[in-house]
């Protein structure tokens, strides 16, 4: 294991921003925006994706800033619905990702696999 990251967020915070197109375009990729738009619970789904991006940035050890931007991390889903990670410029990295949410909170944990360098 090279890194681990976790994040938790109040869903209400993201839900209040979902009507702002500038927020959606700054935070989510086109694919993620489509995924949220078709989700039965958009606020919970968006909060889960946001937490996943935060968890991935923590596992990378960079946070967000000059090295990694929010849209450099894309959360995709397998046909079975499992979340997976794609980091622009780091497509060779291997990840495990778990996202969970309830009415009030969303959380995610990301594990970056491989040897420390």
């Amino acid at each position: 294991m090279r890194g681990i990251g976790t994040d938790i967020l109040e869903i209400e915070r993201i839900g209040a921003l979902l009507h702002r197109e500038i927020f959606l375009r700054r935070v989510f990729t086109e694919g993620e925006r489509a995924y949220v738009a078709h989700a039965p619970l958009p606020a919970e789904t968006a909060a889960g994706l946001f937490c996943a991006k935060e968890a991935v940035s923590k596992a990378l050890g960079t946070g967000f800033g000059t090295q990694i931007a929010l849209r450099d991390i894309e959360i995709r889903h397998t046909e079975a619905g499992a979340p997976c990670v794609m980091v622009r410029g780091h497509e060779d990295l291997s990840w495990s990702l778990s996202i969970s949410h309830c009415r009030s909170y969303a959380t995610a944990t990301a594990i970056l696999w491989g040897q420390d360098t």
Side-chain angles (χ1 to χ4, degrees), residues 10-58:
E10 290 178 280
I11 292 170
E12 186 177 296
R13 291 182 60 201
I14 294 295
L17 297 170
L18 283 184
H19 70 281
R20 296 184 179 183
E21 188 65 27
I22 193 165
F23 168 77
L24 294 172
R25 290 191 180 278
R26 192 181 92 238
V27 172
F28 300 114
T29 65
E30 185 176 331
E32 291 166 335
R33 290 192 307 271
Y35 188 78
V36 169
H38 292 94
L41 300 168
E44 289 184 16
T45 300
L49 294 177
F50 190 90
C51 282
K53 289 172 177 267
E54 286 279 357
V56 167
S57 75
K58 291 173 183 177

Side-chain angles (χ1 to χ4, degrees), residues 1-116:
M1 183 176 73
R2 287 177 52 189
I4 187 168
T6 190
D7 194 57
I8 187 168
L9 174 69
E10 290 178 280
I11 292 170
E12 186 177 296
R13 291 182 60 201
I14 294 295
L17 297 170
L18 283 184
H19 70 281
R20 296 184 179 183
E21 188 65 27
I22 193 165
F23 168 77
L24 294 172
R25 290 191 180 278
R26 192 181 92 238
V27 172
F28 300 114
T29 65
E30 185 176 331
E32 291 166 335
R33 290 192 307 271
Y35 188 78
V36 169
H38 292 94
L41 300 168
E44 289 184 16
T45 300
L49 294 177
F50 190 90
C51 282
K53 289 172 177 267
E54 286 279 357
V56 167
S57 75
K58 291 173 183 177
L60 285 168
T62 62
F64 292 112
T66 59
Q67 294 179 352
I68 296 287
L70 282 162
R71 287 186 302 161
D72 289 336
I73 299 170
E74 183 170 29
I75 309 304
R76 300 177 180 174
H77 294 81
T78 66
E79 286 187 27
C84 51
V85 179
M86 177 63 72
V87 181
R88 187 176 302 145
H90 302 279
E91 290 82 3
D92 59 327
L93 298 178
S94 178
W95 294 92
S96 291
L97 178 64
S98 178
I99 302 172
S100 188
H101 46 79
C102 64
R103 290 184 180 151
S104 300
Y105 295 96
T107 187
T109 300
I111 299 172
L112 173 58
W113 295 104
Q115 298 298 316
D116 287 333

